[in-house]
Amino acid sequence: MPRMIPVTDLCAPELDIYARLSETQLLRFYEPQNGLFIAESPKVIERALDSGYLPVSMLLEEKPVDGHTRKILERCGDIPAYTADSRVLARLTGFHLTRGMLCAMRRRPLPAVRDICAKAHRIAVLEHVMNPANIGAVIRSAAALGMDGVLLTPSCCDPLYRRAIRVSMGTVFQIPWTYLDQEASVPVLRELGFRTAAMALCSQSVSIEDPVVMSEDKLAVILGSEGDGLSAGTIEDCDYTLQIPMYHNVDSLNVAAASAVAFWQLCKKQKDRF
């Protein structure tokens, strides 16, 4: 069970990881070893623990501990748990804590691209997606709708940023993901036996309902940045270019919404795997 320590000094150095360190500083906290990330809310913390991530400390609201919260605390071992009134915590962190609990946890080494793809049939690939909320939402959709893993180009936002984790509802700990070594993803995917499908509005685009695309055994679905979409080179290199049928002259969806629609459709014939 964690050691409950009341917060008496907002400037205490042990609170820096919650109040004053940037996401990048947390990432490099133990450099050259893997750094830290912050999990927010009991459900997210529980999913991280279920996936084997190790807690370092906690920050939580000073109130009676209910049954669910107690079970989570009991799984965290003898770590410091800093407690304070919700208003004090908001002053410390700069935001209202979701369900009153944060947990600093150790990062783990990321899996290799080849390992994620070895037995996969449907892979999501994100190119230069920088918004943490979109990263979290895409990963949540990928986990919920049957994708086998998520690959990110090096310019993408870190899926273990606090907001990305929160938006993903902890599914970032449930579906395998890793970074590609380079921005040019198509040659790597082709080498691993995948056909590639770019989500883009082009003259050669076909519907995501296209039966030939849906029948592909190993398919990588590539989605681009919030503003510019996929690079011209990626679109040109892909085996297919796909679009979502739309109405009322709407030409595009946010990348998070588009990913959910695409994943649902393109995983339909894979559902018997679950």
Side-chain angles (χ1 to χ4, degrees):
M1 190 79 169
R3 291 170 278 121
M4 299 298 180
I5 304 172
V7 172
T8 57
D9 179 5
L10 296 185
C11 296
E14 59 267 24
L15 300 176
D16 284 350
I17 56 178
Y18 299 105
R20 288 171 286 277
L21 296 188
S22 67
E23 300 276 15
T24 301
Q25 288 172 315
L26 289 172
L27 173 64
R28 297 173 178 170
F29 194 81
Y30 294 115
E31 206 167 37
Q33 299 181 45
N34 295 299
L36 297 172
F37 65 88
I38 304 296
E40 179 183 355
S41 86
K43 180 181 287 292
V44 170
I45 294 168
E46 186 174 41
R47 285 179 171 170
L49 292 170
D50 289 343
S51 298
Y53 287 89
L54 298 177
V56 173
S57 68
M58 304 188 80
L59 181 68
L60 63 156
E61 190 175 343
E62 193 174 47
K63 63 180 181 179
V65 176
D66 62 22
H68 185 217
T69 300
R70 178 171 292 278
K71 288 180 180 178
I72 294 173
L73 293 175
E74 288 173 347
R75 296 180 61 185
C76 291
D78 184 27
I79 63 171
Y82 306 104
T83 66
D85 177 85
S86 60
R87 291 169 296 180
V88 174
L89 295 180
R91 284 174 54 201
L92 178 67
T93 62
F95 58 90
H96 176 71
L97 271 64
T98 301
R99 298 193 62 188
M101 183 183 290
L102 297 178
C103 185
M105 309 187 87
R106 290 291 300 260
R107 288 173 178 258
R108 299 190 313 191
L110 292 176
V113 171
R114 189 171 296 275
D115 291 341
I116 289 179
C117 293
K119 296 181 180 180
H121 295 271
R122 292 289 184 268
I123 289 289
V125 183
L126 303 184
E127 179 183 279
H128 199 59
V129 177
M130 296 296 297
N131 185 297
N134 282 336
I135 288 283
V138 172
I139 287 177
R140 186 176 182 181
S141 293
L145 300 174
M147 303 300 283
D148 297 308
V150 179
L151 305 179
L152 304 99
T153 61
S155 57
C156 284
C157 166
D158 185 350
L160 292 185
Y161 279 3
R162 185 187 64 83
R163 191 177 180 206
I165 295 173
R166 177 166 56 83
V167 172
S168 84
M169 286 299 293
T171 55
V172 68
F173 307 120
Q174 297 176 307
I175 186 170
W177 62 271
T178 195
Y179 284 99
L180 293 153
D181 291 333
Q182 54 191 14
E183 296 291 340
S185 56
V186 175
V188 176
L189 295 164
R190 188 166 288 133
E191 180 185 337
L192 294 171
F194 284 84
R195 301 279 279 178
T196 52
M199 295 295 300
L201 295 172
C202 302
S203 58
Q204 69 268 32
S205 296
V206 298
S207 170
I208 57 171
E209 300 172 312
D210 185 273
V212 176
V213 179
M214 289 187 62
S215 67
E216 291 286 1
D217 180 51
K218 294 171 72 71
L219 185 69
V221 184
I222 308 178
L223 299 108
S225 67
E226 297 84 351
D228 300 328
L230 290 173
S231 67
T234 296
I235 296 171
E236 184 177 351
D237 287 344
C238 280
D239 300 298
Y240 304 103
T241 306
L242 304 182
Q243 63 179 347
I244 298 169
M246 298 187 196
Y247 302 91
H248 301 294
N249 295 317
V250 176
D251 62 357
S252 65
L253 295 173
N254 168 275
V255 65
S259 72
V261 176
F263 297 163
W264 167 252
Q265 179 66 32
L266 297 171
C267 287
K268 274 186 176 180
K269 291 191 175 182
Q270 306 294 313
K271 293 297 188 290
D272 57 357
R273 295 185 289 118
F274 300 101

